[in-house]
Amino acid sequence: MVELHRTPPPTADLDLVFRECQRDLLRTVVPLTGGDRAAAEDVVAEAFARAQREWHRVGGYDRPDLWLRRVALNLAISAHRTAVRRRRRRLDPPADPVLDEASIEVLDVVRALPERQAQVVVLVYFAGESVASAARVLGIAEPTARTHHTRALAALATALADEEDR
Amino acid sequence: MPTTADVEARLRRTAAACEPIVEDLLVAAPPDAAVAPAPRRPRRTGWLVAAALVVAVGVAGALAVDRDGGGDPAGEVETAGPAIAGGPPPTTDPAAANPALDTPVTLADGTEAVLAIPGPERWTPRFVEVDVALDGVEHPVEISLATIEALDDPAAEEVLSDRARIVTLSRGRALLVEVDGWGAVLGLASDGGDLPDERVAEVARDLTFRVTPGGPVDVGGAGITVREVRTVLTREGDTMGMEATLTVARIPGDPHPVCVGTPPVSETSRTQRCVADDRLLLSARGSRTQTILPGVEGAIGVTATGEQHAVSFPDGTEAVVTIPGDDPWPVVVALAWVAIEGDAERGVRQVRLFPESAIETAARTSSTMEEVDDLRWLAHAPDGTRRLLVQEGGWTAELELDDPVPLPDGVLAGLVRTMDLEPTAAGPGPLTGQGLVVTYADVRLGDLGDPDRPETQDVLGLSVDLDPCTGSPGRCLAGEVRAMPFGPRAGEVLDALTAEVVRPAR
């Protein structure tokens, strides 16, 4: 009839968890927002706000930092796609670029990857994680992460070659 | 074609280029950490009760001052303090320093909302964005409404009528429809490309809105369906460009705006929470505006159709739930988790409550039935376990006494003598007994379907917990009351149902 899932009470301190993982968190969010500071800041704030709301549950996890990073990754991908849609539809100009052209080009092709591939790429190359630890952050099996990693590199090679040809 | 090594090298160079941004954004404290939510204000219950169905609104705070990416976002978070810029100086009690001011707003679709936004400033509508669907145009288009002054004297390219013209704005060609000093601007391109000329002419002819002191309302017209309305508020006397946006979104096919929590119904919502007993979607964008987000309270009312269903829970809670549509939603079963004094071994036990006599059924599955009195039976199963059954007013309560640890004899004796319930037409009513405390109550409304085919179940579960509802899974209705859908019909009504709840004194 009714399943009651009683989560252990929070044992971790949210502020402490945030402080300890915010650098890793930003290293994945910043590239996924194309270096847009305001958007990255929004994503981090939103991830933190969600953690606050869910801390009664998340705070009891063994690794609440992984939950926070996963939420931020998903939000960053979602924010990017929303921004693209809105930019197409609205009369607003895009935000001023803050990165060099080559970096923007790379970030654009990374963000055009399928969601999981993009997440694995930023975790491995921007946050300095191994593929195995990227899998832990994303909550997926390591072989799955390796597959995403391999496919992502192949797709990036093709996309960057296309960019060079233009 | 670059090699894998080339690709990896470029990724690492790009990562290095991003690092200064990461460093800039590192903050000493988490966002909003310095800002405690304002104390909850008394609910405007009279106003809300009058509304048969209360729906959703979003508040998106937009930070105009740092839109271009300039400034120091990290410093912004650290120094934003408990109040928005220009407000009172930070104190150790931000909630006390920021009494909320009510901000009544009539949104462009006619929805009325009252927001209590922390801080001493008043907020007034400045401009409105409306996403509309146009018949014959595949993608939704956006219409912006602002005062003609704010539109910066757009030059007319082509006059279509005495109130409509094609203009050139800094961001491109647009259709401008003017009413009483306000202009509705429709960009002449959508996701699908430029709007056909004939459609532009139709919109110019058909687009209607009224201008009130609170801004333009009732945007619409033949072939124009409003999907989302964003009313941008600005603080009176603001020199910092602070903005907040109220958003009403509608799910296609649903005539009423709904608060659906996450994922956001609004593309503009990045940070959001439901307030006013889950009836109001509050969202913000930009760290400064997010500092006031925790303290904003709101209420919104829209009259809609729906059937009222009284529900009485096993813990004594009484609720009147308004469910859209006129389908019957009878109480089909209830469940209570109980703690029993002296039952330290087990802690929590389950009591099932059925709106029928279960004695005959129990007799068929038991080796013996022991009648305690007119109301109570002890059913002994072949495996030696026992159940206490109480039948009262057409309802049967069933408590497993040996699941998994036998109830101590002294406790059992007291319970067998005293366990009772007080059914009403609205459900099983409060479950009582010597030393018995209901810690969690669950009532199912609807149709349990074929027990052998779970997919036929279409049930709305309502539960009451001792802890406040947190919104997931399901949806919080009021305080500690949560709604969970099981089946398509229940899922359809979940977002729009409301409840007025009275909890028993504890």
Side-chain angles (χ1 to χ4, degrees):
Chain A
M1 276 284 288
V2 171
E3 295 291 331
L4 276 188
H5 299 286
R6 299 284 185 184
T7 308
T11 53
D13 179 82
L14 174 56
D15 288 2
L16 187 63
V17 169
F18 178 84
R19 271 193 285 272
E20 286 179 350
C21 77
Q22 67 164 324
R23 184 183 295 274
D24 288 336
L25 195 146
L26 281 165
R27 280 177 170 160
T28 54
V29 166
V30 165
L32 288 175
T33 55
D36 183 334
R37 293 165 198 251
E41 192 182 9
D42 286 350
V43 167
V44 172
E46 168 64 3
F48 181 75
R50 291 193 185 187
Q52 278 184 318
R53 287 199 297 269
E54 299 292 326
W55 200 246
H56 64 282
R57 177 171 59 86
V58 175
Y61 291 175
D62 288 343
R63 294 288 304 272
D65 58 314
L66 296 187
W67 183 91
L68 193 57
R69 292 180 67 186
R70 200 176 305 151
V71 167
L73 275 165
N74 291 336
L75 287 171
I77 296 257
S78 171
H80 166 60
R81 293 185 175 160
T82 296
V84 169
R85 273 200 308 277
R86 294 195 63 75
R87 204 171 296 144
R88 274 207 307 263
R89 217 170 70 198
R90 294 183 64 168
L91 303 171
D92 284 353
D96 290 340
V98 292
L99 290 168
D100 61 277
E101 202 169 306
S103 298
I104 291 172
E105 185 186 350
V106 170
L107 292 184
D108 282 347
V109 295
V110 167
R111 294 189 297 166
L113 290 170
E115 184 173 324
R116 275 285 188 241
Q117 292 182 22
Q119 290 173 333
V120 169
V121 164
V122 295
L123 282 167
V124 171
Y125 295 99
F126 291 76
E129 304 281 359
S130 65
V131 176
S133 61
R136 277 196 295 280
V137 173
L138 295 173
I140 59 178
E142 187 179 333
T144 307
R146 291 201 181 283
T147 303
H148 287 311
H149 180 238
T150 306
R151 289 180 179 166
L153 289 180
L156 287 172
T158 305
L160 289 172
D162 289 346
E163 290 287 333
E164 286 170 5
D165 290 343
R166 281 178 197 166
Chain B
M1 170 84 76
T3 64
T4 299
D6 294 337
V7 172
E8 290 187 309
R10 287 197 66 176
L11 286 168
R12 292 199 171 96
R13 281 200 298 276
T14 306
C18 289
E19 199 62 12
I21 302 173
V22 171
E23 292 296 329
D24 270 358
L25 290 173
L26 285 172
V27 293
D32 295 346
V35 183
R40 288 191 71 82
R41 296 157 52 82
R43 291 174 52 200
R44 300 170 190 81
T45 47
W47 194 61
L48 286 174
V49 169
L53 181 68
V54 180
V55 289
V57 155
V59 177
L63 179 63
V65 69
D66 202 34
R67 258 184 191 157
D68 60 1
D72 177 7
E76 213 174 271
V77 171
E78 286 181 282
T79 58
I84 43 185
T91 74
T92 54
D93 184 1
N98 287 279
L101 281 184
D102 281 356
T103 302
V105 184
T106 302
L107 302 175
D109 68 339
T111 301
E112 292 186 346
V114 177
L115 294 182
I117 304 177
E121 300 88 0
R122 293 198 176 280
W123 295 67
T124 52
R126 193 162 69 85
F127 66 92
V128 174
E129 295 174 329
V130 185
D131 281 355
V132 301
L134 302 178
D135 289 350
V137 176
E138 185 181 353
H139 301 279
V141 297
E142 185 174 274
I143 297 175
S144 302
L145 296 103
T147 59
I148 294 297
E149 291 83 3
L151 290 172
D152 200 20
D153 194 20
E157 280 188 12
E158 181 185 350
V159 175
L160 302 175
S161 70
D162 58 350
R163 62 171 205 145
R165 58 190 190 271
I166 305 290
V167 297
T168 304
L169 300 175
S170 59
R171 293 164 178 173
R173 292 176 73 240
L175 167 69
L176 172 62
V177 177
E178 186 176 343
V179 174
D180 294 341
W182 278 72
V185 176
L186 170 69
L188 294 182
S190 73
D191 278 356
D194 289 350
L195 286 176
D197 289 348
E198 59 272 22
R199 195 69 188 102
V200 172
E202 287 171 6
V203 174
R205 187 187 65 232
D206 295 337
L207 181 67
T208 58
F209 62 94
R210 291 185 300 118
V211 176
T212 71
V217 301
D218 293 345
V219 179
I224 298 170
T225 307
V226 175
R227 295 163 56 102
E228 182 174 311
V229 176
R230 298 180 291 279
T231 300
V232 178
L233 307 173
T234 187
R235 294 181 308 163
E236 281 182 358
D238 177 68
T239 56
M240 301 291 289
M242 289 283 290
E243 293 176 350
T245 305
L246 285 168
T247 302
V248 178
R250 285 181 164 79
I251 291 176
D254 187 333
H256 309 293
V258 290
C259 180
V260 298
T262 53
V265 293
S266 163
E267 292 178 351
T268 59
S269 300
R270 293 181 181 178
T271 299
Q272 58 178 341
R273 69 187 181 92
C274 290
V275 296
D277 292 336
D278 204 23
R279 295 164 176 179
L280 191 68
L281 185 67
L282 176 67
S283 57
R285 184 166 66 86
S287 57
R288 283 196 189 180
T289 314
Q290 284 173 27
T291 63
I292 63 171
L293 181 68
V296 178
E297 298 246 358
I300 170 176
V302 171
T303 301
T305 57
E307 288 287 312
Q308 290 195 326
H309 301 260
V311 182
S312 77
F313 291 78
D315 72 333
T317 296
E318 299 284 346
V320 176
V321 184
T322 304
I323 305 176
D326 52 8
D327 289 338
W329 290 89
V331 178
V332 290
V333 71
L335 185 137
W337 291 79
V338 301
I340 304 168
E341 192 179 346
D343 181 28
E345 284 281 334
R346 180 62 177 84
V348 176
R349 292 175 188 269
Q350 211 177 66
V351 180
R352 293 170 190 269
L353 302 111
F354 308 95
E356 60 195 26
S357 167
I359 303 306
E360 291 77 12
T361 308
R364 283 199 297 274
T365 58
S366 306
S367 54
T368 57
M369 286 289 283
E370 181 183 343
E371 185 171 346
V372 179
D373 56 29
D374 289 348
L375 303 178
R376 302 172 181 87
W377 285 262
L378 270 173
H380 298 263
D383 64 1
T385 58
R386 299 160 298 172
R387 286 170 292 159
L388 172 62
L389 295 118
V390 179
Q391 189 165 291
E392 178 78 89
W395 277 79
T396 302
E398 180 185 73
L399 168 63
E400 300 278 353
L401 299 171
D402 303 299
D403 174 28
V405 180
L407 207 59
D409 285 346
V411 177
L412 172 64
L415 209 55
V416 167
R417 214 174 45 246
T418 60
M419 196 170 94
D420 202 358
L421 64 162
E422 299 171 37
T424 69
L431 177 72
T432 56
Q434 184 172 306
L436 182 148
V437 176
V438 178
T439 60
Y440 181 93
D442 180 272
V443 169
R444 300 288 170 103
L445 312 179
D447 181 1
L448 287 175
D450 182 346
D452 295 327
R453 296 171 57 219
E455 70 276 12
T456 62
Q457 189 182 70
D458 210 334
V459 171
L460 193 58
L462 302 175
S463 59
V464 184
D465 205 342
L466 291 178
D467 300 323
C469 176
T470 56
S472 178
R475 186 175 156 246
C476 297
L477 292 183
E480 298 83 8
V481 180
R482 177 196 307 278
M484 284 277 287
F486 304 90
R489 192 164 59 106
E492 285 170 10
V493 302
L494 179 72
D495 289 331
L497 60 85
T498 61
E500 294 294 330
V501 177
V502 179
R503 302 295 311 274
R506 296 187 186 280

